[in-house]
Amino acid sequence: MTTSAPTLAIPGQLLGHASKYQPGPGTHIHESNLYASLLGTIHVTQPAKAPGPVKRLTKITPAPAPAELPTISVTVPTRSAGAEHQQKKREVLPEVGNVVLCRVIRITPRQAVVAILVCGDTVLDAEWQGLIRVQDVRATEKDRVKIYESFRPGDIVRAEVISLGDQANYYLSTARNELGVILATSEAGNAMHPVNWKEYRDPETGLLELRKVAKPY
Amino acid sequence: MADRRRINGPAGATIPPVFDEDGKQYEHKVAKIRDRAPTAIRKMFLKTGVTPSASGSAYLEYESSAKSGVSGLKLSCTVHGPRSLPRSSPFSPHIVLSTHVKYAPFATKQRRGYLRDPSERDLGTHLETALRGAIIADRWPKSGVDIIISIIEGDQDRETSKFQGDETWDMMNALSGCITVASAALADAGIDCVDTVAGGVAALVQDTSDDSTPRIVLDPIPSEHEKILGACCVAYLPIRDEVTNLWFKGDLPASDIDLYTKLVESGIQASRNGNRVLVECLGETVA
Amino acid sequence: MASQQHVLLSPAELAYLHDSLSLTPPLRPDGRSPTQYRPLSAETGILPGTNGSARICFADGTEAIVGVKAEVEKTRRKWDDDTIYDENKEETREEAEGAEGSSDWVELTVEIPGFRDDDSSTVFLAAMLSEALLADGGFVRRLVINRRFHWKVYLDILLISPPLSYPLPLLSLTTHLALLSTRLPRLKSEGDEDPFFDDDWAAAPYLYPRSSNKKVLARPPVTLLVMAVGNNIIFDPAKEELAVADVALAVSVGDVSSSSSSSSSEGEEDVDMTAEEQEGRKLRLLSIRTVDPPSRLTPPGVPNATNSAYGHAQVGEGGKTKQQMPEARAAESEAVEGVWKPPRGGAKALVMAALVQKTLQRGGVADEVFDALEGVDLG
């Protein structure tokens, strides 16, 4: 969807007036002008033409904001050229609303502590810690949730970031059908497969284990 | 604080004496005279991406003056992060910047220890102030970034040692280099900045050769001048036309505020010159 | 950084403070005028075991004590001095007499409760204070005893209470008074022989000499903290005010009142006196440092337009776009009236120049501060 040929930007470079573009990643506004804030290539993305209401909105939302401006962004190029730079990626931070993949580190009756491994499509370099509190495990029957019936250390969980949390942890939630444990190992140490919304089965021993199972896509 | 982890040489060591050649009269006068124009800064070499393991890195070298014995400043900067903060630190809605400036033990005439001494910490604080104005801190909540600068070679003349306050003026040059190199490394690391910040130094000097009035020079080398009356180091954002850090030192009459203003303007000019190198280097980085 | 201790103010409070400080004239939370200092009580010579000491107590309860200790130390000769042993030795000695001291004759340490002594903020404060003291070389010149010996001065600055605001003005003023009250034993030996001193403390001369009517002829430097908010320039900011500063500067000012004019003004009429004083006080600009204002680390406010709690946000939409672009940060927006946004970038050079100008101009704040310090009874 890029319209203009990507050109280079260095931090502080003027990109255009704020009324012409929407600021995307890697840009900032100063005195109603848009400037680059990263070193990289400029991309202008035309807004996706709203293809009519796909489905009826169940909530009342304000009239579509004047968001029909092209979005301008500056992205850091992945340096494939140059053998000494092996594909350096830009760091990405988990953000509220992101779907992340994480590994359960330890569980307590109140919460599961996880390490966030992947944010969106990006594998993170740095280690960020997250927390799934017992009330955020599922959307229904929250008072019946038991952490040890939902997660076990070592499970890989798909979750959504709901808050930047406290100083150490991001707060995550699995309170949606497609969120939950996606990979689990049994107590015997075998990879298991999901059998229903709350159970995984060990193919060798045939034992069932309780999990908050993510709905397979 | 004493360095207890290593065996250090005796304190209070002195520099070996330098003997005059063939009974030649020891010359009291400054042998080296600035041969650049007052508004010219030294040539610089700047390159990003020198340390593959860091998120961003840069290397800066000043042209060594043609005369022997004067070495140019050599700086290497690495940026690590953004990464998660240690568990003990409180929640921060911004990126937490920590700057370390360290002279290599062999960088200056007087050997430096391995622990950071107060002047290095002071440089770190100045650098932090300069960079904090340049970065967009709220883009990276809950994360920290470490900016580590090693001064591999200081800006010192091996042959002279008599200059009073030599080191303090050297610190200004070092700071200006630190700012420029850190700015390049930050851009290389992909941390949001409002502009490219660069450092510049200007000084009000009095030369012996021409007993004229003091003049303002950019990018001074202390050994080239008889006396430095005042100097300022400026960290400047050229596109926003803003100063993020100003460090002035000297002794100027308060009545003559114009002199001070001129000095700062010259510092900004020096910073603009340095910024051209920076911009070109960054252009090469993405190209 | 001591200036960055966490300020527990909400974005709304910060916006309010910023707006009220940007008014003309600014409305300060404690009702001071822009150039007014906080009231303080000061006393000198409180510690008999020191060569000089002072204590200053701000009305808010922050208190600082400075003790000055002096020791005789052998002057390390510079090596290039040693190499010149030739006929014109006398001449070189003449040169050395008038010669400079070395900056390591002064050791200045700052101790702030709650901060490590190698914390960069304490180091920064100490560097700032000693920088001003050493700037003109005049202070170390006072420490020369003879060619072979000098005084080594230890300045120990103690903040008694945890800082309620950036402690720079307090520490600087206390150091100033302590130095003014500093006396060194009277030298009895002559020339370059090993020094010995008069043990009569009453005869000990002041480090900063005074004229017969106890008027101080020269004064140590003073460091002032100045900040700018909007179009206003505010002196001696409190912690809350510093939290919304656009830029903060520490300006060190020295006073080299010529001794002649001060002594001539003795016992003259009042009118003459003030005229003389205006003539006499020759302020010198010694150092300027940018203090990193804590405002950059304050939490930003969220304008109603993007606040989902306010019902305005594109909740469904926003969630989706964010998933597509994990790098998208909290949406960039124009500054909204009344919504606090931490300042980005630096300050215009003109603003900084105005801060300095306002400090230094005749009858400016530096003048006022020196006037006020003259009023302190030095005992």
Side-chain angles (χ1 to χ4, degrees):
Chain A
M1 274 286 203
T2 40
T3 49
S4 64
T7 45
L8 303 176
I10 62 162
Q13 187 169 319
L14 179 66
L15 298 175
H17 196 264
S19 60
K20 275 168 67 189
Y21 297 107
Q22 263 206 311
T27 61
H28 70 280
I29 299 183
H30 175 59
E31 288 170 353
S32 45
N33 274 319
L34 275 169
Y35 294 88
S37 64
L38 288 177
L39 176 67
T41 44
I42 304 171
H43 295 279
V44 179
T45 317
Q46 293 299 340
K49 280 282 165 279
V54 183
K55 60 177 178 189
R56 266 188 67 221
L57 294 169
T58 48
K59 313 189 190 95
I60 299 171
T61 52
E68 304 314 316
L69 292 167
T71 304
I72 194 160
S73 59
V74 176
T75 47
V76 178
T78 48
R79 289 200 208 119
S80 44
E84 71 266 37
H85 304 297
Q86 59 276 55
Q87 278 284 320
K88 206 169 75 169
K89 288 182 304 289
R90 181 163 179 258
E91 265 303 311
V92 171
L93 288 187
E95 199 188 335
V96 174
N98 286 162
V99 172
V100 297
L101 297 181
C102 45
R103 180 192 289 120
V104 180
I105 295 174
R106 60 177 177 273
I107 56 173
T108 70
R110 308 270 320 141
Q111 65 203 26
V113 179
V114 300
I116 302 175
L117 307 172
V118 177
C119 176
D121 299 328
T122 324
V123 180
L124 300 176
D125 281 345
E127 178 122 321
W128 304 94
Q129 193 168 295
L131 208 61
I132 306 175
R133 298 172 299 180
V134 69
Q135 65 266 41
D136 297 326
V137 170
R138 65 176 185 230
T140 54
E141 287 190 300
K142 289 185 179 185
D143 47 343
R144 299 263 192 89
V145 176
K146 296 203 167 52
I147 285 285
Y148 64 87
E149 289 176 355
S150 309
F151 305 110
R152 289 294 163 90
D155 291 355
I156 301 294
V157 176
R158 187 190 296 129
E160 185 185 358
V161 181
I162 53 170
S163 155
L164 295 185
D166 57 15
Q167 71 265 39
N169 305 301
Y170 284 87
Y171 287 177
L172 309 177
S173 163
T174 54
R176 263 170 32 200
N177 280 347
E178 63 273 26
L179 303 177
V181 177
I182 53 172
L183 280 175
T185 13
S186 67
E187 276 174 27
N190 305 313
M192 300 193 289
H193 55 257
V195 287
N196 57 32
W197 66 277
K198 59 173 184 177
E199 282 167 327
Y200 266 85
R201 188 202 303 268
D202 184 327
E204 290 181 25
T205 59
L207 292 175
L208 290 171
E209 284 187 25
L210 291 168
R211 291 290 195 279
K212 160 59 170 112
V213 182
K215 182 181 160 197
Y217 284 129
Chain B
M1 209 198 316
D3 184 1
R4 292 203 195 85
R5 295 191 195 165
R6 297 166 194 86
I7 301 169
N8 286 301
T14 53
I15 304 159
V18 175
F19 295 99
D20 290 348
E21 285 170 34
D22 309 329
K24 219 169 47 180
Q25 274 288 329
Y26 182 83
E27 281 188 50
H28 248 303
K29 289 241 171 73
V30 191
K32 299 177 185 68
I33 309 161
R34 183 187 170 98
D35 50 3
R36 286 172 287 145
T39 53
I41 65 167
R42 279 173 289 172
K43 285 184 187 143
M44 287 197 263
F45 172 79
L46 182 61
K47 186 172 163 55
T48 56
V50 288
T51 315
S53 59
S55 322
S57 58
Y59 172 80
L60 173 71
E61 186 174 330
Y62 278 97
E63 172 197 38
S64 36
S65 129
K67 279 129 195 156
S68 62
V70 181
S71 67
L73 190 64
K74 294 184 180 66
L75 300 164
S76 142
C77 175
T78 53
V79 174
H80 299 275
R83 55 187 176 194
S84 51
L85 289 170
R87 306 186 112 265
S88 55
S89 56
F91 179 84
S92 157
H94 304 281
I95 196 162
V96 173
L97 203 63
S98 63
T99 50
H100 290 255
V101 179
K102 182 78 192 88
Y103 277 91
F106 44 78
T108 49
K109 218 167 347 184
Q110 195 86 44
R111 182 181 173 274
R112 302 260 179 168
Y114 282 92
L115 297 175
R116 286 194 296 158
D117 69 7
S119 71
E120 287 161 347
R121 286 172 194 280
D122 192 26
L123 274 180
T125 320
H126 277 294
L127 179 67
E128 190 180 327
T129 312
L131 295 180
R132 208 192 288 285
I135 60 172
I136 303 180
D138 47 13
R139 294 283 165 91
W140 302 93
K142 285 182 61 150
S143 46
V145 63
D146 293 322
I147 297 160
I148 295 154
I149 293 187
S150 331
I151 302 179
I152 301 167
E153 197 163 336
D155 215 357
Q156 280 193 346
D157 190 344
R158 214 163 286 138
E159 284 175 15
T160 44
S161 79
K162 63 169 196 163
F163 288 99
Q164 248 318 302
D166 199 8
E167 234 166 71
T168 63
W169 306 121
D170 277 339
M171 264 177 79
M172 288 225 172
N173 275 339
L175 176 63
S176 132
C178 286
I179 293 167
T180 313
V181 74
S183 176
L186 275 178
D188 186 43
I191 290 169
D192 295 79
C193 293
V194 290
D195 202 345
T196 48
V197 62
V201 184
L204 184 69
V205 298
Q206 184 132 41
D207 288 336
T208 35
S209 49
D210 41 353
D211 253 345
S212 57
T213 47
R215 60 191 178 122
I216 293 177
V217 293
L218 306 192
D219 192 18
I221 300 176
S223 57
E224 287 179 349
H225 303 287
E226 175 64 15
K227 192 166 167 42
I228 295 186
L229 302 173
C232 77
C233 179
V234 179
Y236 178 70
L237 306 170
I239 295 171
R240 290 170 78 104
D241 183 29
E242 285 174 349
V243 175
T244 60
N245 186 33
L246 170 70
W247 182 21
F248 164 84
K249 207 172 152 150
D251 188 12
L252 293 186
S255 49
D256 197 0
I257 195 94
D258 283 348
L259 196 59
Y260 157 76
T261 318
K262 259 187 225 146
L263 195 60
V264 173
E265 270 167 17
S266 309
I268 290 175
Q269 189 53 48
S271 159
R272 275 180 191 281
N273 290 347
N275 201 276
R276 281 210 289 275
V277 179
L278 179 58
V279 165
E280 201 165 304
C281 163
L282 292 182
E284 281 169 17
T285 308
V286 273
Chain C
M1 193 71 228
S3 69
Q4 289 161 12
Q5 347 147 14
H6 277 268
V7 191
L8 297 172
L9 291 173
S10 68
E13 288 168 309
L14 291 167
Y16 172 80
L17 266 172
H18 186 270
D19 289 354
S20 58
L21 286 175
S22 312
L23 297 171
T24 32
L27 213 56
R28 298 179 71 169
D30 46 9
R32 282 183 283 161
S33 81
T35 56
Q36 204 175 353
Y37 263 61
R38 280 167 284 186
L40 55 86
S41 61
E43 53 182 324
T44 58
I46 51 161
L47 304 170
T50 59
N51 291 70
S53 59
R55 165 184 165 276
I56 286 187
C57 190
F58 268 145
D60 62 6
T62 41
E63 189 177 352
I65 290 183
V66 174
V68 183
K69 286 280 219 181
E71 285 173 7
V72 176
E73 203 181 59
K74 207 163 181 178
T75 307
R76 202 184 63 201
R77 295 160 128 201
K78 302 199 183 59
W79 62 266
D80 57 301
D81 270 3
D82 290 19
T83 53
I84 322 163
Y85 277 120
D86 50 352
E87 305 86 83
N88 51 14
K89 191 176 174 185
E90 284 309 305
E91 245 181 66
T92 49
R93 171 177 298 198
E94 286 296 285
E95 268 178 37
E97 279 304 330
E100 355 59 270
S102 152
S103 53
D104 40 79
W105 295 359
V106 182
E107 208 172 297
L108 191 145
T109 49
V110 176
E111 174 109 14
I112 297 174
F115 286 88
R116 284 170 57 128
D117 53 357
D118 58 348
D119 188 89
S120 57
S121 69
T122 3
V123 169
F124 189 73
L125 278 171
M128 192 149 43
L129 293 171
S130 62
E131 181 175 88
L133 202 57
L134 300 171
D136 55 352
F139 181 68
V140 281
R141 230 172 283 139
R142 293 172 198 275
L143 303 178
V144 179
I145 298 171
N146 55 35
R147 257 192 96 199
R148 291 171 50 226
F149 291 93
H150 64 261
W151 290 106
K152 170 138 188 175
V153 171
Y154 297 87
L155 276 155
D156 295 293
I157 305 173
L158 257 69
L159 199 64
I160 304 293
S161 52
L164 295 174
S165 58
Y166 195 54
L168 177 68
L170 174 65
L171 300 185
S172 164
L173 292 177
T174 321
T175 313
H176 177 96
L177 290 179
L179 282 172
L180 275 185
S181 71
T182 300
R183 305 163 91 175
L184 297 174
R186 193 168 64 86
L187 187 65
K188 276 171 102 178
S189 58
E190 284 171 359
D192 283 347
E193 63 192 42
D194 286 3
F196 63 94
F197 298 95
D198 194 345
D199 55 5
D200 181 11
W201 183 246
Y206 284 99
L207 182 61
Y208 282 87
R210 304 174 184 187
S211 62
S212 49
N213 65 344
K214 291 201 167 179
K215 197 165 161 53
V216 181
L217 300 182
R219 290 182 158 267
V222 162
T223 306
L224 307 173
L225 190 61
V226 202
M227 68 169 215
V229 177
N231 292 321
N232 289 322
I233 294 170
I234 288 166
F235 285 84
D236 187 29
K239 182 185 178 188
E240 297 79 29
E241 294 169 312
L242 207 56
V244 296
D246 294 337
V247 57
L249 286 186
V251 183
S252 300
V253 188
D255 173 19
V256 279
S257 338
S258 55
S259 51
S260 58
S261 72
S262 306
S263 53
S264 72
S265 69
E266 282 171 37
E268 300 229 350
E269 287 156 352
D270 265 349
V271 191
D272 255 340
M273 180 103 162
T274 48
E276 282 286 1
E277 260 178 17
Q278 275 178 2
E279 286 286 300
R281 182 168 299 131
K282 291 194 191 109
L283 295 183
R284 306 285 292 181
L285 175 62
L286 298 179
S287 108
I288 295 174
R289 280 176 180 231
T290 317
V291 175
D292 196 8
S295 51
R296 295 212 181 104
L297 295 175
T298 47
V302 183
N304 285 341
T306 53
N307 188 353
S308 57
Y310 201 73
H312 256 293
Q314 333 78 328
V315 182
E317 242 179 1
K320 217 189 278 170
T321 46
K322 271 178 184 166
Q323 276 174 37
Q324 287 159 0
M325 297 187 297
E327 287 191 354
R329 293 283 127 208
E332 272 284 314
S333 58
E334 276 293 343
V336 182
E337 181 73 36
V339 177
W340 172 248
K341 213 175 166 191
R344 276 179 192 166
K348 301 277 182 208
L350 282 176
V351 175
M352 291 201 173
L355 288 178
V356 177
Q357 162 101 45
K358 182 107 178 172
T359 316
L360 295 179
Q361 69 195 7
R362 181 141 292 172
V365 175
D367 253 345
E368 280 175 24
V369 168
F370 275 114
D371 278 344
L373 283 170
E374 260 167 40
V376 176
D377 177 27
L378 292 172

